[in-house]
Amino acid sequence: MKEFFGSKAVGFYVSAAAELLAIVTLVVYALYGTVGGGAQYFSPVALVLLIVGIAAFAGMCIFKVTAPWAGFVQAVFTFVAFLVYIYHCYRYFSEVFYGGITAQAFALMNKYFLAALILFLLTVVVTQVGAQMRQLKKPVAPRESGGAESPATTR
């Protein structure tokens, strides 16, 4: 366990936080589609893409060979899931904001929909940030002994 987490860089922890955020997004979006009254704007494809992204990150970060790409794969699946989500719910926006963008229109929005939208946006941003960061620490090259050594290495 210590070796596993000891080899991870900051990008892994950002991507792990995005993983947790994706799980919360998954739950809220599933609630929106089932009990939240948004069945006609719900896409099971977006749900499956989120699940695949979560599983891919969890599986890829275990192995050192695939760990550097885990955050990127997670970001791709999350972004595509977000695009599918927007594709299926843009009509909801046109219905809510038909009379103009007003405070009353925002107040009429489905709370599950609004929560899913905010969580999707946060998840996409955090996964993109995590994907741009290093997932593994750089390996430390062994020192060559060829000249005068510092006093710290001779002790």
Side-chain angles (χ1 to χ4, degrees):
M1 211 52 167
K2 186 176 182 181
E3 181 183 330
F4 177 78
F5 287 109
S7 66
K8 303 299 181 191
V10 175
F12 167 78
Y13 297 105
V14 172
S15 293
E19 182 88 349
L20 295 174
L21 199 55
I23 292 169
V24 172
T25 304
L26 177 78
V27 170
V28 170
Y29 186 56
L31 287 173
Y32 167 68
T34 55
V35 298
Q40 69 250 23
Y41 306 112
F42 178 76
S43 170
V45 175
L47 208 62
V48 169
L49 287 169
L50 272 177
I51 292 169
V52 170
I54 290 167
F57 177 78
M60 289 179 74
C61 71
I62 295 172
F63 305 104
K64 286 195 178 209
V65 175
T66 56
W69 298 99
F72 174 74
V73 170
Q74 177 193 31
V76 168
F77 276 105
T78 304
F79 184 67
V80 174
F82 177 68
L83 293 178
V84 170
Y85 166 75
I86 292 298
Y87 177 76
H88 283 278
C89 71
Y90 75 92
R91 290 171 295 161
Y92 180 73
F93 282 119
S94 65
E95 290 175 11
V96 171
F97 296 118
Y98 180 74
I101 299 175
T102 62
Q104 183 183 11
F106 279 107
L108 292 175
M109 288 183 78
N110 185 320
K111 303 308 178 213
Y112 286 107
F113 174 81
L114 200 54
L117 176 65
I118 291 168
L119 285 169
F120 253 120
L121 286 171
L122 284 173
T123 304
V124 166
V125 169
V126 176
T127 56
Q128 291 297 324
V129 169
Q132 301 302 320
M133 300 174 79
R134 181 178 298 278
Q135 298 289 316
L136 295 175
K137 292 180 180 175
K138 285 185 179 179
V140 178
R143 283 186 67 136
E144 293 181 23
S145 60
E149 293 187 21
S150 67
T153 60
T154 57
R155 293 185 198 170

